[in-house]
Amino acid sequence: MKERLSPRLGLFLFVLILPTMALADALTAEAEQQRTNWPAILMFAAFVIATLGVTRWAASRVKTASDFYTAGGGITGFQNGLAIAGDYMSAASFLGISAQIFTDGYDGLIYSTGFLVGWPIILFLLAERLRNLGRYTFADVASFRFAQTPVRLFASFSTLAVVLFYLIAQMVGAGQLIKLLFGLPYGYAVAIVGVLMTCYVLFGGMVATTWVQIIKAVLLLGAATFMAISVLASFGFSPDALFARAVQVKADMAAAAGAAPGEAAERGRSIMGPGGFIKDPVSAISFGMALMFGTAGLPHILMRFFTVPDAKAARKSVLWATGWIGYFYVLTFIIGFGAIVMVGTNPAYLDPAGGLRGGGNMAAIHLANAIGGDLFLGFVSAVAFATILAVVAGLTLAGASAVSHDLYAMVIRKGQATSQEELRVSRRTVFGLALAAILLGIIFEKQNVAFMVSLAFALAASGNFPVLLLSVLWPGCTTRGVVVGGMMGVVLAIVLTVLSPAIWVSVFGNAEPIFPYSSPTIFSMPLAFFTIWLVSTLDRSGRAAVDRGGYLEQRVRSETGIGASGASAH
């Protein structure tokens, strides 16, 4: 079903974002406008034109709901692994982690490690089972042997909560990036990203999203490799020399701020140890749990396992993705320390207050300018923009599928909706998600994007992961246990996140947080597991007997693939 952007639809998009632009102008009127970077503009334009061309090609291949959600199941393991890496290496990874390392040094490594170590869980416990049991969304897997309506209602709520938190981080990163380079107001920058992501998903579906993610992954890996090599080359390819210089720079900065010589030296050394960002063991453990287990509950990542033809390709996808992602996170560590040395000592990249020009997430962007001038800055900025667009496209697709497939087709229409009806609902949902992403991106403008993503991971670890794991692996799991336990985990994670310093203090402006820790996962995830176990164990209903009796069929299919749909029809 080949579609083009009609003038009427274009006008609708403009009307959709116009009030948001006006609101954004009011919020950002006093922000410093930067000079226009023409190399960056040209490279942005080249990327946007190329990816819109991909979307136009993909639109001719989107004829059914299967094409829209999962590219018809025809993506190879290698392609899917690269697309997963492109989906996972988000603005939080490139901009947020490097900025966190620039600020706190060693503590930024908790992001890199946490984001990476969740992949073995997916590889050994979930990847094959996901492909054999699911069609479009993780709710297909979680509800395989349970009552459809309650489980899909929970899954839709949880998916949309995770998607919205994740979208906030991407929109903030995109807004700050375009504001810095183009001299546009922050709100206009966020609105541009919202419109582009709408076009990609609305017309190209998973086919366009996959290829945008693959292109972006190749560009990002290439740019990060060049940046890391350039930083190390400045220190004779000696990481020790780089770290020693970074320690000295931080000590000099502390001394310039008035610290005594001994205290300044201690501050410099502190970037090579923990405690700069997360200062208590409870938060550190909770944060690590969120990043580790949240990976296995991210709806836009789980959705990618339904795009491959079989379970073998699903496993291959995880292996390729783990390799690319692990390599990339090693590079971000070098980039972060390189920014301390090359950006932190250059007044051209600092504002009058001593912070980074353009916002705290721009360390990697300024480093690109320090390494290769305006031309490389333009390339890296275009890559960062590509990173954001690829991720928001995947997130939007996951959110749209939750509404159209899980809520509309399976709950409201009881599985009787046609493919075309699902597509219509999906495309309408895309508009709503775009507007929500723009508004939330403006509200959370000042937040570190890596930290905002960690909140999405906390929600995924507290709701989706316990439900997915126990529904697949535990024979005693029941519908009532899944719904009550999963909802308890998600709701507690949301409530504690709102009461934490990140929102209660930083966003709402209160003096003290009600919940003192930076991540809720150490409380909300065990609660979800315990509640699922307790409620399922005590459940003596007729539905519970059906749920337990369906485990053997589920296990046979999840382990062997017998009965799983093929690529062409799945």
Side-chain angles (χ1 to χ4, degrees), residues 376-412:
F376 188 58
L377 169 65
F379 176 72
V380 171
S381 301
V383 169
F385 189 61
T387 295
I388 292 164
L389 284 178
V391 176
V392 297
L395 289 165
T396 305
L397 194 57
S401 66
V403 173
S404 61
H405 178 64
D406 295 328
L407 285 181
Y408 176 76
M410 302 305 295
V411 174
I412 297 175

Side-chain angles (χ1 to χ4, degrees), residues 4 60 74 97 129 184 186 196 213 301 336 380 424 441 452 469 472 480 503 527 536:
R4 291 179 295 177
S60 65
I97 293 177
R129 294 177 173 89
L184 289 175
Y186 175 80
L196 284 174
Q213 288 165 348
I301 297 296
V380 171
R424 281 198 298 270
M452 291 306 300
L469 193 69
V472 169
R480 192 173 295 172
I503 294 181
L527 176 67
S536 295

Side-chain angles (χ1 to χ4, degrees), residues 250-276:
K250 286 291 187 179
D252 292 344
M253 292 171 64
E263 182 184 355
E266 180 60 31
R267 288 188 192 177
R269 289 191 297 270
S270 68
I271 67 169
M272 298 308 298

